Amino acid sequence: IPQTHYLSDGEKIYSTTGAYQEEITSLQEVQGADLSSFDFAIIRLAENKEEFPFIAYDDNALYWGAEKLEGSAGGGFFLFENTWFNKDGKPSFIYAHDKKYVYLVGCYEGCSLKEQLPNSDAASFESFNSTGYGFGKDKNQLYHLDQVLTGLDDATFESVVENLAIDKNGVY
């Protein structure tokens, strides 16, 4: 499984690619990264104790490998507390955020960034992963995985069990 690591020579930051914890197979400069605030996040999967060097960030942006993620805000990359697991006890999806936006992370054979949730607000986001598979909400809207849910009442919306949610208008 290719994984990304980051190295610095004190002046520039480089993304390395290779099998996790094995030989480096390529090295590429991370263009525009701020060396003084650059760091990377590691996802620790509690169920099986695997660690994945995942995504890097500085005060201004997120980086996937050597590429800056357009539209990202940086300032860190944090997992929301609730994570849901598949039948094998491994996480399947996780919500995460930088200082401004929410992202969907998929974890199967390693972890990968799926996408930024449209019009998301990290400060008000709430994940329902402990009771429902992939439901979340923020001050702007409701989500199921990376899809915006429309026509639901966010004041009464509640995730009850895996893949099942309710609001005053119905069951979903």
Side-chain angles (χ1 to χ4, degrees):
I1 301 168
Q3 296 292 329
T4 302
H5 306 268
Y6 296 92
L7 300 172
S8 173
D9 62 6
E11 294 179 20
K12 297 178 184 176
I13 298 168
Y14 301 91
S15 168
T16 67
T17 306
Y20 182 53
Q21 295 181 341
E22 293 181 15
E23 183 178 320
I24 294 172
T25 57
S26 71
L27 191 65
Q28 192 173 15
E29 183 180 348
V30 180
Q31 296 288 326
D34 175 32
L35 185 62
S36 66
S37 65
F38 192 86
D39 204 350
F40 62 92
I42 294 178
I43 292 181
R44 287 182 181 81
L45 306 180
E47 292 292 308
N48 56 17
K49 299 190 177 26
E50 291 180 71
E51 292 185 358
F52 297 100
F54 183 62
I55 195 165
Y57 57 88
D58 62 20
D59 284 344
N60 306 305
L62 298 177
Y63 301 88
W64 179 258
E67 293 187 34
K68 178 179 178 179
L69 296 176
E70 293 305 320
S72 63
F77 192 75
F78 311 97
L79 301 180
F80 283 96
E81 209 169 293
N82 297 323
T83 302
W84 60 100
F85 296 87
N86 65 23
K87 64 182 178 176
D88 299 325
K90 293 186 177 185
S92 51
F93 289 99
I94 303 167
Y95 284 121
H97 67 95
D98 62 15
K99 66 183 175 187
K100 194 170 181 182
Y101 302 108
V102 178
Y103 300 84
L104 183 66
V105 177
C107 293
Y108 304 105
E109 298 292 324
C111 291
S112 63
L113 187 67
K114 294 299 179 192
E115 62 185 272
Q116 185 184 93
L117 299 184
N119 198 29
S120 59
D121 177 68
S124 65
F125 189 84
E126 175 184 355
S127 172
F128 295 107
N129 292 347
S130 62
T131 56
Y133 182 85
F135 290 103
K137 75 175 184 177
D138 64 19
K139 70 179 185 176
N140 301 315
Q141 56 217 351
L142 295 164
Y143 304 90
H144 182 253
L145 300 176
D146 59 350
Q147 301 297 309
V148 174
L149 302 176
T150 58
L152 303 177
D153 180 60
D154 65 330
T156 61
F157 181 84
E158 177 180 358
S159 176
V160 216
V161 293
E162 183 177 319
N163 282 327
L164 184 67
I166 60 172
D167 71 2
K168 71 177 186 176
N169 302 315
V171 177
Y172 311 97

